[in-house]
Amino acid sequence: AAAAQGAGFARELCLEEALYRAGGEAGGIRRELLASHPDGVLAARLWSGEAGGVSFALRLEGRTDRFAVAAPAAGALAFESRATETMHSDGACGVRACGAVRVVATGGAVAAEGDAIVVRGADEAHVYFAVETDYRQDGDAWARAAADRADRAAAKGYAAIRAAHIADYRALYARVAADFGDSGASALPLDARMRRLREGGDDPQLFALFFQYGRYLTIAGSRADSTLPMHLQGIWNDGEANRMAWSCDYHLDVNTEMNYYPTEAVNLAESHLPLLRYVERLAEAGRETARAYYGCEGWTAHVFSNAWGFTAPGWHYSWGLNVTGGLWIANQLREHYAYGLDERFLRETAYPVLREAALFFLDYMTVHPDCGWLVTGPSNSPENSFYAAGDESRAYALSMGPTMDQSLVRDLFAFCLEAGERLGADEALRERLRGAAALLPPLAAGANGRLREWLADYGEAQPDHRHLSHLYGLYPGAQITPAGTPELSEAARRTLDARMRGEGLEDVEFTLALFAANFARLHDGDRAYDQLGYLIGELCFDNLLTYSKAGIAGAETNIFVADGNFGGTSAIAEMLLQSHAGELHLLPALPARWGTGRVTGLRARGNAEVDLAWRDGELVKAAVRAGSPLRTTVRLGGAAIPLALEAGGSLRLDRASFAAGEPA
C-alpha cells in the first residue's frame, strides 16, 4: 500500500484490494472509498469511534457552467451536466451526463437541505455515487441508468458491494506478485520514500510498488467492457489538460501506445480490449482520410485522435503530417496476438485491420529516385527536425522515409505475410508485400555512430529532443537486438547517450520511461534503474502519479500525464523478462540494487507465464507455464537451453539447468 501521514491523520491506497482509506484523528471521521466495477458506483463508508459521531453535509459542484443539481428526497441528489470546453470547440457541444448520489445512515438523521444531503449524529453512513453519459448511446434510457445503479447499490449495502469489488479486482491484480527486496524504507510515508530516493537512498521495494501501481492504474482505467481506452490522463481529468492545446486526447505518436505497452506482459490482456476495439473504429474512420487526403486504398490516421475517431493530419505539417500514427497504435493488435495466440482474434480483427493498413502504405509509398529504396513521404519523425546539407540556418521537419516509418512498415509487412500464410489468405497481396519488403531501406548508423533518424544522414536540429521514435526498432520493436544486430545496438546506445547528455534535454515522463525500456533491451539494468529512479523521484507527484513539467510542450504547470506510470511499469517488466527475440530471456537487465527478489505471473509472447526468483543477482529458480504449445529457447545470460511444452504443461528451471544445457 502507498500511504501518507501527518498530524494524526493518515491516508492510504491499498493496492492489494483497491481501497482508499483516510482518517485517524482522535474522535474524527474515518473514511473508506472504492470504485466498484461490478456495481458501477463509487461507494464510501464513513464512521467514527464514537456513537453518533458522524455528521456532515454533502454537496456537488460542477466544473462547467452546464451543471444543475437538485435534492429530490432525503438522502438523494440528482445532477445533470454537459462536458464543455472552449479550447477545441464552441463551448456548447459535448456529451451529456446524468448522475445520482444516495446516502444511507445508521442512527442519527438524514435530511435534504437546499441542494445538499445533511447527516447528523449518525453512527455510520454509506455514500453511493453513479454517473452515466450519452456517449454512443441510443434513446433516453441512459439518463436513468445512474440513478438505477445508485438505488441498487443502496439496497445491496456497502459490505456486499465491497466484497464483490475486491473479488472482481483481485481476479486481475493477484495474477502478478513482485518483491525486489526491502531496505526498511517501506515503513515510511510515500513522500518520505520518494525524497529518500532523490537523495540517493536505497529503496528497491519502491520500484516494485511503482510497478504494481501501474498495474492498478491499468485495471482502474481499462477493463474488458470499457467504452473507451485510456487517454493522456488515463480515464481521469484534472481540468488542467483541457486548459491547454493538449486536451485529454489520444496522442498516436507514443503516448496512447505507452499507456498499453505493459498490458500484455503484466498479465492484464483483458485491459487491452478497449484500445483494440478503438483501433478497429479508427481504421473505419481512417478509410475516408486515406481517400480524401492521399487518394489511397486502406486507412490511415495521424498524430492524434479523440473519442469520435479523428484521423486527419494535425494543423501544422511539422508535427501533424505523421502518416504512421495510426499504424503505430494498430501495432497493439500484433502484440495482443503475439502474447495470446488467439486465432479468432487474428482472423477477425488483427489481420483485417493491419491488412488495410498495408494496402495504404503499398499505395502511398514510392521508390526514392536517388537510392532506389521504397519510402514513405512526405512524413516526419515525431516531433523532431533536422538540418539538410550541412546548412544550420534552417531546420526542416518533412522528409522522405524517416526511420520510424520504415521500422513500422517493415513490421507491418512481415506480420501480414506471416498472418496471410497462416490463414491461407491473399496470396496476390502477399506477393506484392514480398516485393515491397525487399525494397525497404535498412536501419543504419550515421557518421556520428548514432542510429539515423532519417533516410539521409542529416544533422539533428534538436539532438536532445524528447521523442525517441527512431529507436522503435529497439523498443518496443525487435529489429535491433544485442545478439542479432550488435552494430545497430551500439548505434542505439550512442543515440541514448547523446540524448541524455544534451543541455536542452527536457525532463519528460515518457522520455524517461523510454530511456529505461531501451536500456533494458540493451541488457543494461543499472542504466535502466537510473532512469526509473529519476522518473519516480523527480517526475512523480507525492501520490506516485507521473507528470510533465511546466513549460514543456505548452504545459502551464506540472501536469499529470499517465504514460509515465505505464511506460515505467513496462520498463520494469522488460528488465525482468523479455520475449521479443524468439526466446524467453530471464532477468536480462537485473540491476545491482535489486539483488534479491521474486516476481510471479509475468506473461511472455507465445502464450506463456513465467515466475522468477533470484538471490544476490543470480537466478534461484524459474517456472514456465504454457497456455499453448510452446517451442522456444530459454536464455539466462550467455547460456540457453531448448524448451518444448504442450498446452497446459509447465517446467521448473534453475541455474543448474543452464549449466547442464537442458531442463532439470
Side-chain angles (χ1 to χ4, degrees):
Q5 298 172 328
F9 178 85
R11 55 194 173 102
E12 174 186 82
L13 173 63
C14 175
L15 299 186
E16 292 295 325
E17 296 181 318
L19 296 172
Y20 169 80
R21 302 184 185 97
E25 314 99 319
I29 295 178
R30 298 177 182 270
R31 283 149 285 186
E32 182 178 86
L33 178 71
L34 61 89
S36 169
H37 173 254
D39 288 290
V41 295
L42 294 177
R45 176 189 176 220
L46 296 87
W47 73 100
S48 170
E50 301 176 1
V54 176
S55 297
F56 62 89
L58 190 156
R59 294 180 175 85
L60 296 176
E61 294 181 358
R63 301 189 71 167
T64 76
D65 58 5
R66 307 287 293 275
F67 185 86
V69 62
L77 293 178
F79 70 89
E80 296 180 356
S81 184
R82 191 156 198 170
T84 58
E85 55 89 47
T86 57
M87 179 62 69
H88 300 95
S89 75
D90 61 5
C93 63
V95 298
R96 292 179 294 161
C98 288
V101 177
R102 301 288 182 267
V103 175
V104 178
T106 302
V110 180
E113 297 183 8
D115 60 355
I117 298 173
V118 178
V119 175
R120 294 186 177 92
D123 300 326
E124 186 169 318
H126 301 150
V127 181
Y128 307 100
F129 172 91
V131 65
E132 188 77 21
T133 77
D134 67 349
Y135 176 73
R136 296 174 65 88
Q137 304 255 29
D138 295 324
D140 298 324
W142 70 271
R144 179 62 193 172
D148 289 344
R149 289 204 304 274
D151 287 340
R152 288 194 298 269
K156 185 174 181 177
Y158 183 80
I161 286 175
R162 184 182 190 274
H165 157 74
I166 293 174
D168 175 75
Y169 171 76
R170 291 285 300 168
L172 296 170
Y173 182 83
R175 292 173 180 173
V176 173
D179 181 354
F180 300 165
D182 194 346
S183 64
S186 59
L188 299 172
L190 186 53
D191 56 345
R193 297 176 69 179
M194 295 169 68
R195 184 168 58 251
R196 191 171 183 269
L197 182 68
R198 286 194 293 271
E199 295 169 354
D202 189 31
D203 190 354
Q205 200 61 8
L206 180 57
F207 292 82
L209 178 66
F210 184 83
F211 172 76
Q212 291 287 50
Y213 188 47
R215 295 185 67 247
Y216 160 84
L217 291 172
T218 298
I219 298 168
S222 190
R223 300 296 289 267
D225 58 354
S226 294
T227 306
L228 284 166
M230 296 183 290
H231 54 67
L232 205 60
Q233 294 191 305
I235 60 168
W236 306 281
N237 184 343
D238 60 5
E240 293 300 314
N242 280 355
R243 296 195 303 108
M244 306 184 304
W246 292 11
S247 190
C248 278
D249 65 10
Y250 294 102
H251 264 61
L252 307 183
D253 60 356
V254 79
N255 310 94
T256 306
E257 290 88 345
M258 187 172 285
N259 285 354
Y260 287 88
Y261 277 168
T263 309
E264 300 288 339
V266 301
N267 216 333
L268 295 174
E270 297 93 334
S271 292
H272 215 164
L273 297 179
L275 179 70
L276 306 182
R277 290 193 296 268
Y278 177 80
V279 172
E280 287 188 87
R281 298 198 297 270
L282 199 67
E284 293 174 6
R287 292 191 190 102
E288 179 58 30
T289 297
R291 286 190 296 269
Y293 282 86
Y294 305 110
C296 290
E297 288 187 83
W299 72 277
T300 190
H302 293 79
V303 70
F304 58 78
S305 188
N306 58 24
W308 291 270
F310 180 85
T311 57
W315 47 83
H316 196 281
Y317 69 86
S318 65
W319 53 266
L321 200 58
N322 173 27
V323 295
T324 53
L327 176 56
W328 196 346
I329 196 72
N331 264 337
Q332 297 302 124
L333 301 172
R334 288 195 313 115
E335 286 295 282
H336 186 67
Y337 174 72
Y339 275 89
L341 300 183
D342 183 335
E343 292 294 314
R344 180 177 179 180
F345 175 78
L346 175 67
R347 180 176 62 256
E348 297 181 0
T349 303
Y351 181 66
V353 170
L354 290 167
R355 176 187 182 276
E356 286 206 36
L359 290 175
F360 171 79
F361 285 102
L362 286 172
D363 215 359
Y364 179 74
M365 296 173 77
T366 187
V367 174
H368 198 292
D370 295 335
C371 59
W373 297 120
L374 185 65
V375 296
T376 57
S379 187
N380 58 36
S381 184
E383 301 167 7
N384 208 351
S385 56
F386 61 88
Y387 298 126
D391 180 8
E392 297 188 4
S393 63
R394 180 182 176 186
Y396 297 86
L398 294 183
S399 72
M400 303 298 289
T403 298
M404 175 66 183
D405 285 10
Q406 302 306 118
S407 299
L408 284 165
V409 169
R410 182 176 289 107
D411 276 354
L412 171 67
F413 287 179
F415 172 83
C416 287
L417 282 166
E418 294 170 8
E421 183 173 350
R422 185 177 189 89
L423 297 172
D426 297 318
E427 174 54 39
L429 175 59
R430 280 185 278 150
E431 189 60 32
R432 290 179 64 194
L433 290 170
R434 279 188 283 267
L439 292 176
L440 295 176
L443 298 173
N448 57 12
R450 304 171 201 161
L451 193 72
R452 287 188 189 178
E453 190 162 353
W454 296 274
L455 186 66
D457 196 9
Y458 295 134
E460 295 177 88
Q462 297 173 271
D464 45 19
H465 197 271
R466 63 185 177 274
H467 278 268
L468 303 172
S469 55
H470 62 307
L471 293 182
Y472 167 89
L474 177 63
Y475 174 83
Q479 296 170 31
I480 301 174
T481 63
T485 58
E487 297 85 1
L488 291 175
S489 295
E490 179 57 27
R493 182 185 294 275
R494 292 187 179 188
T495 299
L496 292 168
D497 288 342
R499 287 282 164 100
M500 293 168 61
R501 286 198 302 268
E503 293 181 0
L505 178 65
E506 299 169 314
D507 283 345
V508 181
E509 77 297 332
F510 74 80
T511 306
L512 269 296
L514 285 173
F515 279 149
N518 277 288
F519 278 121
R521 285 289 178 92
L522 292 172
H523 304 162
D524 193 336
D526 289 334
R527 297 288 296 279
Y529 173 95
D530 290 343
Q531 307 312 307
L532 285 170
Y534 191 92
L535 173 66
I536 297 170
E538 301 288 348
L539 295 177
C540 282
F541 295 114
D542 284 348
N543 60 7
L544 217 56
L545 290 174
T546 59
Y547 66 82
S548 185
K549 282 188 174 180
I552 293 175
E556 299 173 11
T557 125
N558 293 346
I559 180 170
F560 160 53
V561 183
D563 55 17
N565 287 104
F566 300 120
T569 296
S570 183
I572 291 172
E574 291 288 337
M575 295 163 75
L576 301 173
L577 176 69
Q578 295 179 16
S579 60
H580 61 284
E583 59 184 20
L584 302 183
H585 195 160
L586 312 182
L587 303 178
L590 186 68
R593 291 205 177 192
W594 300 349
T596 298
R598 69 179 184 91
V599 64
T600 60
L602 292 179
R603 286 186 85 222
R605 293 169 181 85
N607 197 15
E609 284 192 11
V610 178
D611 301 339
L612 299 164
W614 63 93
R615 183 181 301 113
D616 298 328
E618 300 287 347
L619 179 73
V620 174
K621 60 182 178 180
V624 180
R625 295 178 294 278
S628 301
L630 183 64
R631 305 288 184 273
T632 189
T633 298
V634 184
R635 177 172 298 280
L636 179 68
I641 57 177
L643 179 65
L645 290 173
E646 297 305 316
S650 63
L651 188 68
R652 294 185 178 276
L653 305 165
D654 56 22
R655 287 197 60 80
S657 305
F658 292 92
E662 60 183 8

